[in-house]
Amino acid sequence: MEIQFKNVNYTYQPDTPFENKVLHDINFTIEHGSYTAIVGHTGSGKSTLLQHLNALKVPTTGSVWLGDYEVNASKKQKALNDIRKEVGVVFQFPEAQLFEETIGKDIAFGPQNFGATEEEALRLAREILPVVGLDESFMDKSPFDLSGGQMRRVAIAGVLVMKPSVLVLDEPTAGLDPKGQLEMMDLFNRLHEEEGITIILVTHQMEDVGKYADNMIVLDAGRVVDQGAPKQVFKNQKWLQSIQLDVPQTVEFANLLAEKKQWEVERLPMTLTELADGIVRRLEAEKQVNGHG
């Protein structure tokens, strides 16, 4: 499913003394099968924009196209259940939304809500558990007896069981330890690469953006101020810092080398491996030049 924002504006409490316009003329396209990161400092409009991705909010003006379905203020919204099956949202700290007495019932809640029988929904729950790294033995356990990381996996299973074609992730590693963060991000990347799910990552973790995303959208004060491949956007380190955003540490180190040693790595590195390879190539090139001298 392709997602398009066309001239989207959003205002809280319009035509009142408390009117607050938070999105300004937003335009972008998220292609089917892509991995897109949406970044911006606190107050940039990320959370409001996220809620437009599956029609939890409707633009004040402009349109959001979710595949062939248009969402706008002048159109009576129908078939939103179908849209929300296609676009799954994993909100920050999703484990807080767990409520059933067993993991199986919690995961099965969504399918039952969309018309599946209890038997069908529990079968789907059983099938989805291995996808998030849990086995069938978890079906009858209470979600409240699990570790924080396991609870998050259960909550994510409750979204994946609906078989969405788009998965929206709101700071998905918040509160996890480094091992848990890595496992969670690798899970989403595997879903992207093996299942073809479109991933939209809303985050301030620039290391994750550099490692996983193939496109990024930068928000500032409710406006899209840059978009493109991370390697292109991260070239503007000083500008990003001026709008309170960082770059991956590998990019910062490469820029420091360029500034202090007057030489640049061949390609802007998004990972430690890319940084090391770039430094080795540069050293080998210098060795050849000096050898010929």
Side-chain angles (χ1 to χ4, degrees):
M1 174 189 285
E2 182 178 87
I3 296 177
Q4 284 187 301
F5 277 55
K6 296 184 176 181
N7 305 315
V8 169
N9 295 274
Y10 187 79
T11 302
Y12 286 98
Q13 297 181 282
D15 303 319
T16 75
F18 306 102
E19 179 174 296
N20 181 25
K21 188 172 183 180
V22 292
L23 296 181
H24 304 264
D25 199 29
I26 301 292
N27 289 277
F28 61 75
T29 298
I30 295 175
E31 295 180 1
H32 174 73
S34 63
Y35 195 130
T36 297
I38 298 176
V39 304
H41 62 81
T42 302
S44 61
K46 298 194 305 297
S47 296
T48 301
L49 188 149
L50 180 152
Q51 293 176 72
H52 283 74
L53 291 169
N54 72 342
L56 287 173
K57 290 193 183 299
V58 175
T60 305
T61 61
S63 297
V64 176
W65 284 87
L66 304 170
D68 296 327
Y69 187 86
E70 183 182 11
V71 180
N72 65 44
S74 61
K75 177 182 176 182
K76 188 173 181 179
Q77 303 306 314
K78 299 178 180 179
L80 287 182
N81 279 349
D82 292 338
I83 290 297
R84 288 168 185 161
K85 283 178 67 177
E86 283 287 303
V87 184
V89 180
V90 178
F91 289 102
Q92 193 172 136
F93 303 110
E95 57 271 21
Q97 299 170 47
L98 300 176
F99 65 95
E100 287 281 9
E101 60 183 349
T102 68
I103 288 168
K105 288 182 179 180
D106 214 302
I107 297 173
F109 176 80
Q112 283 186 273
N113 203 37
F114 281 90
T117 66
E118 182 179 5
E119 183 181 359
E120 290 170 337
L122 288 171
R123 175 180 59 80
L124 291 170
R126 193 172 291 109
E127 291 174 354
I128 204 67
L129 278 171
V131 176
V132 297
L134 302 174
D135 60 44
E136 192 174 326
S137 69
F138 282 82
M139 283 289 290
D140 296 323
K141 293 182 179 180
S142 167
F144 308 106
D145 291 336
L146 304 182
S147 68
Q150 289 173 328
M151 289 176 71
R152 188 159 303 182
R153 288 173 185 269
V154 170
I156 292 167
V159 176
L160 293 178
V161 74
M162 305 304 298
K163 302 187 183 303
S165 62
V166 180
L167 192 59
V168 182
L169 309 169
D170 183 13
E171 301 285 1
T173 62
L176 298 179
D177 61 32
K179 182 175 181 289
Q181 292 177 20
L182 180 61
E183 290 174 348
M184 199 61 61
M185 292 308 299
D186 283 348
L187 165 64
F188 299 133
N189 196 51
R190 190 172 72 249
L191 290 169
H192 171 63
E193 293 185 343
E194 297 178 5
E195 306 294 332
I197 294 178
T198 302
I199 301 290
I200 303 174
L201 174 66
V202 180
T203 187
H204 67 277
Q205 297 285 352
M206 296 303 169
E207 311 296 329
D208 291 338
V209 176
K211 184 176 181 180
Y212 299 104
D214 50 47
N215 181 50
M216 64 185 294
I217 295 167
V218 183
L219 293 180
D220 184 47
R223 293 177 169 83
V224 173
V225 291
D226 200 5
Q227 56 184 307
K231 287 192 177 186
Q232 188 64 37
V233 175
F234 285 141
K235 286 181 178 179
N236 302 316
Q237 179 179 346
K238 290 184 179 178
W239 172 75
L240 286 167
Q241 289 173 334
S242 75
I243 59 170
Q244 303 175 54
L245 293 176
D246 293 321
V247 296
Q249 291 181 340
T250 52
V251 173
E252 188 173 1
F253 189 80
N255 288 337
L256 189 62
L257 284 176
E259 180 182 339
K260 298 296 184 182
K261 296 182 70 69
Q262 276 73 55
W263 56 270
E264 299 181 16
V265 294
E266 186 180 339
R267 292 181 291 273
L268 202 62
M270 298 291 104
T271 65
L272 284 173
T273 300
E274 289 181 1
L275 176 63
D277 289 346
I279 292 173
V280 168
R281 283 194 298 268
R282 179 64 195 232
L283 290 173
E284 288 177 345
E286 285 192 351
K287 185 177 179 182
Q288 288 179 350
V289 170
N290 293 335
H292 289 142

